[in-house]
Amino acid sequence: MTTATEEVANPAYVGGERRVSWAWPPFVLLAAVFSVVCLRGVAAPWHWGHNGYMGAAFSQAARNSLRFGIVGQAPYHFGAEPPSPEAIYTHHPLGLHAHVIAAFLIFGEHEWAARLTPVIHSVATLILLVFAVRRYWDVETAWLTGLLYLLTPLNVIFANMVAHQQGGMFWSLAAVVTYLRWLETGTRRYAAFCAAAITLAAQFDWPGYYVAFAIAVHCGVLGLRGAAPRSWIRFLFAFSAVTLVNMLGFFVWIYATRGDLSDMANSFMLRRASPPLGAYLALLYRRLALLYGPALLLAAVVGAITAWRACRSDGLQSRALLPLGFGFAGLVNVVAFPHAAELHSYW
């Protein structure tokens, strides 16, 4: 479902039909270059830093699951006996863990096998991002978006780090894109795709829930304004139910595994611990300067201002959810859990 305003504002629409022309060579080259970047050091040992620590820990967790036939992650268990319930890591959902187990089952226990999950999701995120921006803006904006994504040091340094973020990012983006397609079509197919994508996003990482909240609010606002499909209430109810089932299901599993939720409560409070505001802001600035670079950081600020002004001038179109939804999720992740953001530079 597309409004007349969207057809005028978005040059991808011509006479009610969407143009499908592409400048293919630049996009193919972009994806190929980023794929090479993601494969750099893919078989390297777990040496040091975030990349080494995370890869070693989650590889050990997958080995323990295969060795002892357990579902949960035990990344710090090295004994000959099965890990105790207290050794099961419950601070993150099990999506990454399941993928590393599957890779080890298929390819064997190799460093490159563990890194396949972040590599695939990193490349897929770039491709889906470019396609989404092309669909809801234009070719030039999509090309610039993909190029900035490729040139951002953050995306290069952590492209194949074994972590929850790459999968969580891709499936959150997939949830937003399929939701926008549902807004256009109102079909059950895209509603089901959106529910499946948000499930995978939630099973990879917590920010999937922040994106889900943004989608729910967006749907409610458009529905009340009469700018959503007539089935918007059913979609909102079903989408919210799927999201809550994912969250409650994970906490029920934690309780069944550990006998209580004290570890999650302690982890929550630890991540909430706040350093002095001045020191924290200075740390964030240094991280941004290192992981984006001054030029890209300036481009990001200008881009954010431009996106906000465009969203306001467009009358808050559906496509505004792409920048605003992820901006909201990123802000919550850093502001709500300052200690974790202090520990993890890739946040």
Side-chain angles (χ1 to χ4, degrees), residues 95-96 98-101 103 112-122 159-163 166-167 204:
L96 172 67
H99 280 69
V100 178
I101 289 175
W112 63 265
R115 289 187 174 107
L116 277 182
T117 295
V119 166
I120 292 172
H121 284 97
S122 292
N160 61 26
M161 179 181 69
V162 184
Q166 301 93 341
F204 260 97

Side-chain angles (χ1 to χ4, degrees), residues 120-203:
I120 292 172
H121 284 97
S122 292
V123 176
T125 297
L126 173 67
I127 294 173
L128 182 58
L129 179 63
V130 169
F131 271 73
V133 175
R134 166 62 184 91
R135 181 174 186 86
Y136 296 104
W137 277 269
D138 50 56
V139 171
E140 292 76 16
T141 307
W143 166 247
L144 180 60
T145 301
L147 187 62
L148 288 174
Y149 189 92
L150 171 63
L151 294 176
T152 302
L154 173 71
N155 297 327
V156 174
I157 295 169
F158 301 110
N160 61 26
M161 179 181 69
V162 184
H164 312 273
Q165 280 70 29
Q166 301 93 341
M169 181 69 73
F170 171 76
W171 289 111
S172 294
L173 180 59
V176 171
V177 172
T178 51
Y179 163 70
L180 293 179
R181 293 291 289 130
W182 173 79
L183 284 178
E184 294 175 12
T185 64
T187 61
R188 293 181 179 179
R189 177 179 62 171
Y190 282 110
F193 287 163
C194 184
I198 205 62
T199 294
L200 286 163
Q203 292 305 318

Side-chain angles (χ1 to χ4, degrees), residues 1-239:
M1 187 182 78
T2 306
T3 65
T5 304
E6 285 178 312
E7 292 185 10
V8 172
N10 187 355
Y13 291 99
V14 178
E17 296 293 331
R18 186 179 297 280
R19 292 186 305 177
V20 294
S21 60
W22 276 82
W24 282 110
F27 290 104
V28 173
L29 178 61
L30 191 71
V33 170
F34 191 61
S35 297
V36 173
V37 169
C38 291
L39 291 171
R40 180 178 179 272
V42 72
W46 312 119
H47 284 309
W48 54 275
H50 284 310
N51 285 277
Y53 181 87
M54 301 284 282
F58 289 112
S59 292
Q60 180 68 12
R63 292 190 187 99
N64 282 331
S65 286
L66 292 172
R67 184 181 180 191
F68 300 113
I70 59 173
V71 174
Q73 307 174 81
Y76 314 116
H77 177 75
F78 306 100
E81 300 297 325
S84 64
E86 292 74 21
I88 301 300
Y89 177 82
T90 58
H91 299 175
H92 279 87
L94 299 173
L96 172 67
H97 183 56
H99 280 69
V100 178
I101 289 175
F104 280 4
L105 280 173
I106 296 171
F107 303 110
E109 297 179 6
H110 307 288
E111 287 86 350
W112 63 265
R115 289 187 174 107
L116 277 182
T117 295
V119 166
I120 292 172
H121 284 97
S122 292
V123 176
T125 297
L126 173 67
I127 294 173
L128 182 58
L129 179 63
V130 169
F131 271 73
V133 175
R134 166 62 184 91
R135 181 174 186 86
Y136 296 104
W137 277 269
D138 50 56
V139 171
E140 292 76 16
T141 307
W143 166 247
L144 180 60
T145 301
L147 187 62
L148 288 174
Y149 189 92
L150 171 63
L151 294 176
T152 302
L154 173 71
N155 297 327
V156 174
I157 295 169
F158 301 110
N160 61 26
M161 179 181 69
V162 184
H164 312 273
Q165 280 70 29
Q166 301 93 341
M169 181 69 73
F170 171 76
W171 289 111
S172 294
L173 180 59
V176 171
V177 172
T178 51
Y179 163 70
L180 293 179
R181 293 291 289 130
W182 173 79
L183 284 178
E184 294 175 12
T185 64
T187 61
R188 293 181 179 179
R189 177 179 62 171
Y190 282 110
F193 287 163
C194 184
I198 205 62
T199 294
L200 286 163
Q203 292 305 318
F204 260 97
D205 203 8
W206 298 113
Y209 292 106
Y210 315 151
V211 174
F213 179 79
I215 291 174
V217 171
H218 190 271
C219 179
V221 170
L222 288 189
L224 292 174
R225 290 172 53 188
R230 285 180 294 179
S231 59
W232 71 270
I233 295 180
R234 291 198 302 271
F235 173 88
L236 183 58
F237 177 82
F239 179 81

Side-chain angles (χ1 to χ4, degrees), residues 239-263:
F239 179 81
S240 300
V242 168
T243 304
L244 290 174
V245 165
N246 275 282
M247 176 177 284
L248 293 176
F250 184 58
F251 279 90
V252 167
W253 175 81
I254 294 173
Y255 188 86
T257 300
R258 299 183 63 105
D260 58 42
L261 299 176
S262 60
D263 183 60

